[in-house]
Amino acid sequence: KVIQEIHSILYWLERKDDPQFKNWEEPVRRWAGERGLRDENDEVIPKEYDDLHRPEFLPRAVFLEPVGISFPAGNRIKVLLEIQSRFGVEQIDFFWGSEFLGSVKAPPFEFIFTPIALPGEEFDLVARIYDAVRNRATVIKSLKASEN
């Protein structure tokens, strides 16, 4: 948890002796107060033990489809995962490299897309799985475009 404190940049640069400090700090503090943004202290830090977000409770997944490591350039790809999750699956986000493709929020969590790739190009197909308590796991499958 980050403890919130709203200050001017001079405050964070430890320039409180700067003659401009007051001219910057007071308007920033007033702006924060007008918006209900209050400073926090260590009382906001959770004191309870988190027994939901543990490594052994992360979703686990493997790609069932696509099968193999190559796909015909210009063809659609069906993505299907086998998932094990203690808290169910809420959502899966799909990426082609770093490009967001879309999300699926209902079983069978199947996703179909047509990648833009030239023969010989390699990409990572990424699936990010979220469970009901927002545990997150990522699985990656490297694929290579082939001739049609």
Side-chain angles (χ1 to χ4, degrees), residues 1 3-7 25-41 44:
K1 167 96 174 117
I3 298 175
Q4 175 177 280
E5 285 188 69
I6 310 294
H7 293 283
E25 185 69 6
E26 286 180 11
V28 168
R29 301 294 286 169
R30 186 171 46 254
W31 174 88
E34 290 168 356
R35 284 158 182 76
L37 301 172
R38 306 281 179 239
D39 286 351
E40 298 175 334
N41 58 32
V44 301

Side-chain angles (χ1 to χ4, degrees), residues 37-56:
L37 301 172
R38 306 281 179 239
D39 286 351
E40 298 175 334
N41 58 32
D42 60 2
E43 292 298 313
V44 301
I45 298 174
K47 309 233 182 329
E48 302 83 27
Y49 177 75
D50 179 1
D51 61 352
L52 298 177
H53 300 94
R54 297 169 46 164
E56 62 266 29

Side-chain angles (χ1 to χ4, degrees), residues 87-140:
F87 302 109
V89 175
E90 288 287 311
Q91 175 176 328
I92 304 175
D93 294 335
F94 294 95
F95 298 85
W96 187 239
S98 61
E99 181 184 344
F100 177 70
L101 296 173
S103 298
V104 179
K105 296 183 179 186
F109 298 106
E110 181 178 292
F111 188 77
I112 297 173
F113 74 105
T114 304
I116 298 172
L118 297 173
E121 285 187 297
E122 294 183 24
F123 291 90
D124 286 336
L125 175 59
V126 179
R128 190 166 295 145
I129 303 109
Y130 299 90
D131 68 16
V133 296
R134 301 311 278 172
N135 284 320
R136 179 179 82 184
T138 301
V139 290
I140 300 170

